Amino acid sequence: MAGAKTAVEWLASVAPDPEACRWEWERNLLGVALLPAGKAWDVLILPGELGYPTLDVLTRILHRPGPVLVDFGDSRMGFFVAPGTAARWLGTGIRTVGAGTWIVVPYPGRSTRGVRWLVPPDGSGTLTDPALLELAMHEAAAGLAGGEGG
């Protein structure tokens, strides 16, 4: 519970009004808040069919990757990375959420009907290194291609 409270504080810190953000999480039936990207984190959104194997690769390399969101239906996964990454990202097929954009974020530790945490934030500010994420995506894509071809 202490980790979830710290995660809530970390996430809400980027909101224009952190208190209003916490209030929204508590009272919104969906259990989500709209938060601005580009302050403490950007998000790289991968298709689910690439995102899951990428997360598998990352968890073999890292003790704990940064926060990861998944939408309902598991069709898209959002990896939290350093601010500014979205503006520099060149990969195709990957959506970016950075400065000037907003993202739906569920309350840490609670289930919602839509977006949910696969790797919840721990409040420490840990993010996934975009270079490691890119390498993991390449390895995952190669594995997918190898599985289809042979």
Side-chain angles (χ1 to χ4, degrees), residues 62-142:
L62 302 170
H63 169 66
R64 179 176 165 75
V68 180
L69 288 173
V70 65
D71 70 357
F72 60 95
D74 296 344
S75 61
R76 289 179 299 273
M77 293 175 65
F79 290 80
F80 280 49
V81 293
T85 301
R88 297 185 305 271
W89 192 260
L90 299 176
T92 59
I94 308 301
R95 290 183 48 215
T96 61
V97 180
T101 59
W102 296 68
I103 189 164
V104 173
V105 178
Y107 188 94
R110 287 195 193 142
S111 297
T112 66
R113 292 185 202 113
V115 181
R116 69 184 190 284
W117 293 106
L118 279 181
V119 179
D122 61 8
S124 70
T126 299
L127 300 168
T128 298
D129 180 301
L132 279 177
L133 179 59
E134 184 176 14
L135 290 172
M137 284 190 301
H138 286 292
E139 185 174 328

